[in-house]
Amino acid sequence: MDDCYKLKRNSVTKRNSSDLEAMNDVDRENRTTATTCPEFGFNSQRTAMANPKHNDPRPAPMDTTVVAVEGPPPRDLWNGKIEFVLSCVGQCVGLGNVTRFPYLCYKNGGGAFLIPYLMTMILAGIPMYFMELVLGQWLSVGGLGVWKIAPAFKGVGYAAAVMAFWLNIFYIVILAWGLYYMFSSFRSTLPYATCGNWWNTPQCLSNYDKEHIPLRCYNGTFNFVVSKSDFGNVSQLYGNTTEFTCKQYYDPTIYTSPVREYWERHVLQISSGIDEPGNIRWQLSLCLLLVWIICYFCIWKGIKWTGKVVYVTALFPYVLMSILLVRCVTLPGAYEGIKFYLVPNFEKIGHSSVWIDAVTQIFFSYGLGLGSLIALGSYNKYNNNVCKDAVLISVLNSSTSFFAGFVIFSAIGFMAREQQLPVSEVAASGPGLTFLAYPSAMVQLPISPLWSVLFFLMLLMLGLDSQFVTMEGFFTALIDEFPALFSRRRELFIGIVCFCSYLIGLSCVTEGGMYMYQLFDFYAASGLCLLVLIFFECIAVSWSYGVNRFYENLHSMFGFYPSRFWKFAWVIGTPGLTMGVFLFYVVKFEPVTYLEYRFPTWAHVIGVMMALSSVGLIPIYMIYIFLKTPGTLRERCKAIFRPDIKLPGGGPDPPPPYSEVSMHVQRDAEVQL
């Protein structure tokens, strides 16, 4: 394989036309030698002089030494730095920042959640974000090809691809729900603002309907309930009421909100359990199909087209969230919600669930372990200072979550004041935070249909860029791994995968689809799977390949050695944190539930199979490559745990500095006059 990297040198003295023909033969031979090289490495294909243009006129015949070479087809690159940064921002800033982070913060005591969250961000989030971007940029290949640095861990790449596949299927369902809500908001009165619709029950009563919420009167000994319309007759019925204190009280055990009934009885038409899937909700299936079509056309032409889309999808949510923040902080009661958000409840810090939620939220929000960051980095220029990019984008991600928290908790404080409930008793869990709490707040805003349309359009934008960038990571890994099979059929391959994913996703838009969605969310791409995946990913680079060798590669890219903090994080910090949280997770493990519904055993078996379909590939591939590799036990271990990179000239394992590789390619590609 060393011939793939040895640029062919031939001396041709051009004295007549036959010599010129000989030179053309040499040129063709050199091109054949270069293009048959299957290996990746060190971005030599990115050097402009390594790919001379055939249309350039040849120099006039003269006595000289001519060296002609043409490398493999050049890899697409970002059109500019801004496109790369916006794509990374769009990938990691998504629904997890607007819905999942605030809910977990709310669930774990408000400000108390921020302490383990920030610690996890420093010890694991930013270091792993940097590692994945730099792996792709260094090797210029997707999430499967990078594991030639440690062949035994290539199962990590396959596990990441499978997990990304599952995530793409169920994550996009949220976008279908949001799209349906957005279409439903184009009317003068929001459909979830009032009762009296065909899907409402007799118990439907808006918790903001002041005219119908009854009054509860009490004097310390006696109490009675009376409707507001009858309040004028209370003195006749009960005599002197001056000793009674009467207050409106919305009892959620007696009444149901029109927002909840619209969500459960109209949008989902949810059945009683996963064993009753019911019919496909055709409105949701059409919305799901539309979102898949949008995602397909966002990525079908590769990053040249994806880079343009992120200008809209990554920036629009910030504009709208800024508008919502100005509106929400001016609502009455907003201060109480913000106070709950910022003031920590230190009793919660000692609970293991707080740390588990913090770690999994960082991994989920940053998009780690899915191969998408490796794919994004692979389209960078070799010398790009991705270290600075990784830190800035990671900080922006967490800052966006923190910023979204102000928007959400100010709205929750307003809801708590309107419902006359403590802030801790307002928000719903899981998807309910988006499709129950937010619509309840939208109803109270002036021109509520406009705010509803803008809000769900923002959710659609937040979800779309995360969705298609994760898809880009999945497709890049497979296309780079099997270029002969997929490279020239990219559009067709992406279309087939999208259609198959849509068919599987239909299981989440049936009447029992919410239960199926919960299985996907908990098992297929859960925190447990991410913990295992990122642990092995970090071990493969820092221990198997070697952190010191990796630092030499970083020096060849940046021209300097990064801070030693990265060594500590990759060797000790991240593996120790992920393993510790994994043990907490196992000890405190509780099966998935949806509200009060408990899944049957066979549903958990399906969930475990989905989880093993990804992380189970890591040990399976290790066993496979060990049995496949010839030699003694020692020789096999040495072969599968050492880098499988063919270096120029058959040098030692650590690659030479990039400057040497670049000079080597440029020197041999030049035509010396």
Side-chain angles (χ1 to χ4, degrees), residues 16 249 377 629:
N16 49 46
Y249 176 73
T629 304

Side-chain angles (χ1 to χ4, degrees), residues 81-118:
K81 181 93 166 181
I82 296 178
E83 288 189 2
F84 165 68
V85 173
L86 288 180
S87 295
C88 290
V89 170
Q91 188 270 344
C92 62
V93 177
L95 296 180
N97 300 85
V98 178
T99 59
R100 197 169 186 264
F101 170 83
Y103 162 65
L104 293 178
C105 189
Y106 175 85
K107 168 189 171 185
N108 292 290
F113 176 79
L114 298 178
I115 298 175
Y117 177 85
L118 292 175

Side-chain angles (χ1 to χ4, degrees), residues 106 419 421-427:
Y106 175 85
Q419 297 182 34
L421 292 174
V423 176
S424 59
E425 299 179 13
V426 174

Side-chain angles (χ1 to χ4, degrees), residues 492-567:
L492 179 60
F493 172 58
I494 293 176
I496 293 175
V497 173
C498 289
F499 180 71
C500 294
S501 300
Y502 168 72
L503 294 180
I504 299 175
L506 288 176
S507 63
C508 295
V509 294
T510 62
E511 294 175 359
M514 175 55 75
Y515 305 107
M516 197 65 195
Y517 174 87
Q518 292 294 325
L519 282 185
F520 274 103
D521 188 22
F522 189 82
Y523 287 106
S526 69
L528 186 62
C529 292
L530 280 176
L531 287 174
V532 174
L533 193 65
I534 292 175
F535 172 79
F536 280 104
E537 180 180 342
C538 190
I539 289 295
V541 176
S542 61
W543 288 89
S544 179
Y545 180 71
V547 69
N548 292 329
R549 179 183 294 159
F550 192 50
Y551 254 57
E552 293 298 325
N553 304 140
L554 299 182
H555 180 270
S556 73
M557 296 171 64
F558 309 141
F560 61 88
Y561 292 101
S563 170
R564 293 185 178 180
F565 164 76
W566 305 112
K567 278 190 178 182

Side-chain angles (χ1 to χ4, degrees), residues 15 55 60 177 214 228 232 253 275 299 323 344 346 393 620 630 656 660:
R15 291 189 176 92
N55 295 330
W177 293 334
K228 188 175 181 180
T253 62
D275 50 353
I299 68 170
I323 297 174
F346 289 102
I393 295 171
I620 291 175
E660 294 181 12

